[in-house]
Amino acid sequence: MSTRPVFPFAAIVGQEDMKLAILVAAIDPGIGGVLAFGDRGTGKSTTIRALAALLPAMKVNQGCRYHCDPATPDVWCADCRAATKHKSVTAPVPVVDLPLGATEDRVVGALDLERALTGHKVFEPGLLARANRGFLYIDEVNLLEDHLVDLLLDVAASGENVVEREGLSVRHPARFVLIGSGNPEEGELRPQLIDRFGLSVEVRTPQDLPTRIEVIRRRDGFENDPVGFTEHWKKQQDKIRKRIVDARGKLSGVAVPEIALENAARLCMALGTDGLRGELTLIRAARAVACLDGDKEVTDAHLRRVAPMVLGHRLRRNPLDEAVASTRVNRAVEELFGA
C-alpha cells in the first residue's frame, strides 16, 4: 500500500525564517531544535512534516530498533553491542509526532504485555526510541503536560532514555532534534523548555495579496494531484537535499574568525542574555548558514541572518521596553553592525 505524498518542502511559499531554521537544524542537529510560534493555519505543521521527505537517508545497523549509527559504536544500544555481526543499511531519517495525549509509557517505552503473558519480559520501544537520530515533533508544544516536559528535558540533556519499571532496566540512545509549534495565545512554554530550543521563529499570516494567492494555488494543485504535484517539484527538492548534504560535509571546515566571536559576544552582552548558550548557538547557526551558502568563513552577514531566531527567545522581559523580542534583537543588530 503506497503512502500519500507529503507537500514538498521546496513548494512552500514564504515563511523564509522557519524554512531557514529547519535547514540549519538539519545541517547541525547539535544546535538544539526549532520552536515555531504563530498564527493558526500558517503552514507550521506542513513545513515541519515536509522535512521528512527532504532529508537524505542515513546509515543504520540492520534490525536495530534505535537506528544505531554503524560509525559510532561508542553510543550503540545494548543489542548492537552484544551482536557479533553488523550489516549497514540505509533508512529514512525519522520525523516522529508526539501527540499531546500520549502516555508516558508510549513516550519512553514499556513492557510488551502480549509477550509478558507468555512469560517473557520484552521491552517495547516508545516514541523516543523511534526518534533517535531524527526529529521529534510536538504540535501545540505549549500545551504539553508538565511530567512529559520534565521527561523530555532529562532525555534532551543526557541523549539517553532510561526505563526502569516492571522488572525491566533498559537504557538506549535517544538523541533527536526537538521541533515544537504552537499558538502563543493558548499558553506560554516553561522557561526550561524554551531554553532547550536552539532556534525560535515567529510565523505570521502573509499580508500581501500575491503571496496568499500563490499559497492557495499550490495547495489546491497538491490536493487535486498530489503525485503529479510532487513530481513537478522533484528537481527543486533534489537541489535542496544536495545543499544539505554538501553543507554537512563542509561544517567542520568553515572558519570562525576572531571578529565573528567578538561580535557574537558583543551582541549577547548588549541584549543581556543569560549564560553563554546564546553565543555558542549563534556561532553554530551562523556556521551552518555559511555552509548552506557555500562560504568558507562566518561573516557578519551570517550572524545578522540568524541572530533573531537564536536570541529572540532568550531575552529577559524588560518592563521599560514593550517591543517584541525580534524587534529588540534587530535593533541591537543594527546598532552593532550598522543598518
Side-chain angles (χ1 to χ4, degrees), residues 298-312:
V298 172
T299 67
D300 289 349
H302 301 128
L303 291 172
R304 293 180 69 125
R305 282 177 69 187
V306 299
M309 63 180 69
V310 171
L311 302 177

Side-chain angles (χ1 to χ4, degrees), residues 191-266:
Q192 300 95 323
L193 186 56
I194 290 178
D195 193 48
R196 280 293 163 191
F197 287 98
L199 309 173
S200 177
V201 292
E202 298 173 13
V203 185
R204 296 286 174 250
T205 303
Q207 295 302 310
D208 60 296
L209 185 61
T211 298
R212 295 174 81 115
I213 292 173
E214 189 59 24
V215 170
I216 297 168
R217 179 184 292 117
R218 292 189 188 182
R219 190 70 211 188
D220 187 57
F222 176 75
E223 294 294 341
N224 288 330
D225 182 12
V227 175
F229 186 89
T230 304
E231 185 62 29
H232 174 76
W233 285 93
K234 184 177 185 303
K235 286 186 179 179
Q236 291 298 322
Q237 287 279 97
D238 291 342
K239 286 181 181 179
I240 298 175
R241 187 178 296 110
K242 186 177 185 303
R243 287 181 70 195
I244 294 174
V245 174
D246 291 346
R248 285 175 173 176
K250 297 173 183 175
L251 198 57
S252 60
V254 171
V256 182
E258 190 69 23
I259 188 62
L261 297 174
E262 182 178 324
N263 284 337
R266 284 182 182 276

Side-chain angles (χ1 to χ4, degrees), residues 85-227:
K85 293 182 180 180
H86 298 93
K87 182 180 179 181
S88 175
V89 296
T90 58
V93 175
V95 179
V96 178
D97 282 16
L98 194 161
L100 286 181
T103 63
E104 187 170 328
D105 282 354
R106 186 180 176 191
V107 176
V108 302
L111 185 69
D112 185 328
L113 294 179
E114 288 188 10
R115 299 183 70 176
L117 292 174
T118 65
H120 301 283
K121 288 187 177 180
V122 178
F123 178 65
E124 180 65 28
L127 297 177
L128 296 182
R130 287 176 50 201
N132 186 41
R133 300 183 61 208
F135 294 78
L136 185 66
Y137 173 47
I138 311 171
D139 192 13
E140 299 183 4
V141 63
N142 46 326
L143 303 181
L144 194 65
E145 294 183 21
D146 282 347
H147 73 282
L148 291 181
V149 171
D150 292 336
L151 190 155
L152 287 176
L153 289 173
D154 289 342
V155 175
S158 66
E160 195 173 50
N161 181 35
V162 180
V163 182
E164 293 182 340
R165 60 179 65 177
E166 297 155 342
L168 284 175
S169 180
V170 177
R171 185 183 299 264
H172 69 77
R175 298 180 184 275
F176 48 81
V177 176
L178 190 62
I179 300 184
S181 64
N183 186 335
E185 295 178 358
E186 296 174 350
E188 295 185 352
L189 256 70
R190 284 171 52 182
Q192 300 95 323
L193 186 56
I194 290 178
D195 193 48
R196 280 293 163 191
F197 287 98
L199 309 173
S200 177
V201 292
E202 298 173 13
V203 185
R204 296 286 174 250
T205 303
Q207 295 302 310
D208 60 296
L209 185 61
T211 298
R212 295 174 81 115
I213 292 173
E214 189 59 24
V215 170
I216 297 168
R217 179 184 292 117
R218 292 189 188 182
R219 190 70 211 188
D220 187 57
F222 176 75
E223 294 294 341
N224 288 330
D225 182 12
V227 175

Side-chain angles (χ1 to χ4, degrees), residues 55-67:
L55 293 173
M58 62 183 185
K59 290 185 177 180
V60 301
N61 287 335
Q62 187 177 38
C64 177
R65 300 182 294 176
Y66 311 106
H67 322 116

